Amino acid sequence: MALNIAVCIKSVPDPKWYEKITIDIKTKTITRKGIPSIINPVDKNALEAALQLKEQYGGKVTVLCMAPPGAKNELYEAMAMGADEAALLSDLAFAGADTLATSYTLAQGLNKLGKFDLVLTGTESADGATAQVPAQLAEWLKIPHLWNVKEFVLVTEQEIHAKVKMDDAVGEYVIQLPALLAVSREVNKPRYTTAMGVMKARKKTLTILSKNDLELNESLIGQVGSPTWSGDISIPSLARKGQELKGTPEEIVTQLITKLRAAGINPAKRREGDDK
Amino acid sequence: MFTFTEEQEMLRKVIREFVEAEVAPKAQEWDEANHCPVELFPMLGEMGIVGTFVPEEYGGAGLGFMERSICLEELARHSAGLAITVMAHQLCMGGILNFGSEEQKKKYLPDLATGKKVGSLSLTEATGGSNFMGQKSTGEYKDWQWVINGRKCFITNSHLADVDLWTVITGQNEKGKPIMTAFIIDKDTPGHTAGRTEHKLGLCSSNTGDVSCVNVKLSPQQMLSQEGDGPKIALSTIQEVGRAGMSAICLGILRGCLEESVKFSNERIIYGKPLNKLMNIQFAIAENKLDYESAKLLTYRAASMKDKGLPCACEFALAKYAGNEGAIRAAKRTIDMMGGYGVINEYPIGRFLRDTLAGSTAGGTSDILKVVIAAETLKG
Amino acid sequence: MKHQGIWVVAEQTVSGISRVSFELLAKARELKERGRVQAPVTAVLLGEKLDDYYSAKLKEAGAEAIILIDHPALRYFQNETYATVLKALAEQRQPSIILMGATAAGSDLAPTLGAKLRTGVSAHCVDMRLNEEGHLVAVVPAFGGKVLGDILCTNFRPQIATVRPGILGKVICYMNQECPIEQFDITEILAQDQGRVKAIGITYEEMKGVPLEEAELVVAGGFGIESKEIWQQLETLAAVLGGAVGCTRPPLDEGWAKECQMIGTSGKSVRPKVYIGMGISGATHHICGMKDAGLVISINKDEKSPIFDVSDIRITADAAAILPLLIEGLQKNEDDVIC
């Protein structure tokens, strides 16, 4: 049962360096200069899941990324971790894309690379954190998807049983292949990349695909293809406008419990759940 | 211009991630418990940190000394004790790799390179480390076997090694000078035992102690290279594997001192301002940086020369000296900067000082290094 | 553009309706008023066995029109089914704005629907407003909250946005208002569902101890926790709330807490949705370890504690007095009251 698996990754600024990001509010530009990029952390969980499937069933793992040329490093790192091949979708025409245009471009890239049994992604990126690309990518590919998968098992060549993390609950689903799974950090512990892996990576194939290499509807890519666009940006100050709760301890506690409930924290509300 | 290749940069990044996750959180605990975390060896083997320079055909990563130095620097940044454990293991592995027969290489290297077995090099005796030709351990050929007798001290991995490389005096040449020969001894060979464990001032998460041989009987297959090759094996191993490793380890400790001093002076507020506003603190930071960058360039230059097959004994001597003495200075500067915090064990800086002091004697003391450097320089 | 009106896609939960749906209805009413929008604010609810309780609650929370989609096939959330249904409805009725809670289901449903409708989605908004042209401006965080940006979707409709529970906070009670209720039939739509994703069940979790770095809720104690008994109460509070326990140095030195629970530059960094600090003054190194938490609640006897500067809710009181009352109050099983 050899599986052809694709993993979509994102190159993001290292979250440890967020303090050093500078923002020019007037020009609305965010300077990431000097801040190292890494593979979006949860994407490594997706890649690990792919590698484990390949080890169990045989097949191939291809990594795909839509980004400026510098993201080659992240793709080499993914190959050093164990992916067989990588492709970078890079073109000025892709720039300024929102999640809909990004997922469209990724879908065309995947279609160009072949037919995949399974597409794996992480749930969200550390920088934008919209968590929208996985669902939209599945839509463009016309395959079903599940988002926030914490556990899954290949039951037959056509079917996966998955556990999805819901609010305070775990949902169980059956999904038909080909499909897309957006996995969370709970799904596994990614392996370390070894020295041997680093050396092998350079011998693997990294293909760079530009606009002309893909079959594209140009009105659906880049800024043109993005229904949403960014307006003004601002930096919120660390200071928070605290609201003071006053009164006797009893009164304070009553107010506090109301506030907690508003934030969705209400241990008393959990009633019996249904199982099937 | 001297730069690292892209692969070397990626190697450093992935090794650093591994060390920060698996080594850094426990380094202090190991040091305080005098525990050598040799249980990590298989994982280190998988990562390629143990068998970095062993060819792939023998189970290693098939890389060079540049890559080995990167791995040891990253490891030592958080645990010099674990780093020297790996380094000492690599002495044994290097000896067999460079001087072993094909059979010996096939027998020993795969397990050593993958971290399944631990190695050691037993050279030093009570008669001296620098003066290793004055050693008293003997090897006598009797009844088609070599009989080994002697006691080695200050041996790293003394109680942990599965494979122990011993040097012994096997005779005298026509000029009356001692003939030294090297042997490979497997653990549990009758008569080969580890004795006392040393409690050291630093490198407490490495194991140091005595090893003795009482009438240990070895087949001729256990001899490494030819009779009389002992000095050649000892020198090349200590200089090229040992000293090279120690320079990278001291470099790692130095970087630790530099990073701790930067972190502390940026965070600590004194007289209403961060410490880094005071000029004397800025000087200390600059001096730490100077020490680190000098040792770094010396270390990696020597390593790249080694990888090109050029003679580099002097270059490694310079590198180890710069790294070791530099780390001692940087550690003291940083302890001074940190005030009371500098002498509290929760902060690693005290351990860095102790570790680099303890490392002074490994791979050549500073005085010996100066002798080596002078000898090379005076050649003109 | 002929698209009109603000919709809130409400969410059925095992105990009724997710509170975020009410928060969104209040917000939708506010947007309508300020933007002088004519069309009624409509609540759309998909689920099973949607009796009068549901429409009553939605009306009370601000819905001016309700569309109920009641079918056994909607008992569990299934992204494809839900999105196909909403797509058909949205294409028919053409709302201008669709809001939903960024719950686990909403975070999946919104982008799926957005892709099916080929329109824009703004996720995890922390605020929203209508600009002069009547377009929705959604305010979203990026880079871990370091930056806030306005997102607009001017040329595409509907404009879809999601908001996390508790962010908007405000829920309003509306009395005596007109609210027509419609039952939308989906038999035909379901007939076309390929059924490639099927929900086979759901298990509600016991809230148990989680590692500090991953916890969604953290209760942290510091110097102001004066005895082991009080520390144990703090641990009980964390257990009741299903959160993890954090600390600063003093409880660690006393031996009540472990090294791995320390939050700060020499300890751990945490980003829980809710952080409750008790008896913590807020030294810089500790704040560095928790400044990115969602909702920060601090309780300290000293009103000048630095931690209050980075808190959303400040309580000047002795933690020892608050703890037992809080534990007791949280465990009382009260009916979900809107107001």
Side-chain angles (χ1 to χ4, degrees), chain A residues 77 192-195 199 202, chain B residues 6-7 13 22 46-47:
Chain A
E77 205 188 311
Y192 291 111
T193 304
T194 67
M199 293 310 143
R202 290 284 151 177
Chain B
E6 279 180 343
E7 282 98 324
K13 177 167 184 272
E22 299 289 334
E46 260 186 59
M47 287 297 297

Side-chain angles (χ1 to χ4, degrees), chain A residues 7-10 39-47 121-122 124:
Chain A
V7 181
C8 291
I9 67 170
K10 191 177 181 191
I39 297 176
N40 180 38
V42 66
D43 294 352
K44 278 195 173 164
N45 296 85
L47 180 52
T121 72
E124 63 187 56

Side-chain angles (χ1 to χ4, degrees), chain A residues 16 37-39 44 72-78 80 189 192-203, chain B residues 6-8 10-11 13-15 17-18 20-22 43 45-49 56 59-61 63 67 71:
Chain A
K16 291 191 202 130
S37 295
I38 59 169
I39 297 176
K44 278 195 173 164
K72 274 197 305 203
N73 287 337
E74 279 67 72
L75 287 169
Y76 274 116
E77 205 188 311
K189 181 174 182 232
Y192 291 111
T193 304
T194 67
M196 295 70 128
V198 169
M199 293 310 143
K200 288 200 188 107
R202 290 284 151 177
K203 301 193 191 97
Chain B
E6 279 180 343
E7 282 98 324
Q8 287 164 347
M10 192 188 294
L11 176 67
K13 177 167 184 272
V14 304
I15 299 295
E17 273 170 25
F18 170 80
E20 283 175 359
E22 299 289 334
M43 216 198 249
E46 260 186 59
M47 287 297 297
I49 293 174
E56 281 178 84
L63 300 169
E67 289 78 19
C71 290

Side-chain angles (χ1 to χ4, degrees), chain A residues 171-187:
Chain A
E172 280 182 55
Y173 292 84
V174 173
I175 187 168
Q176 304 300 320
L177 297 186
L180 182 148
L181 297 183
V183 298
S184 70
R185 297 234 213 176
E186 288 181 76
V187 80

Side-chain angles (χ1 to χ4, degrees), chain C residues 46-61:
Chain C
L46 295 91
E48 195 202 11
K49 301 198 181 115
L50 301 177
D51 57 26
D52 293 339
Y53 169 85
Y54 293 90
S55 37
K57 285 287 177 201
L58 289 170
K59 179 174 142 175
E60 200 175 72

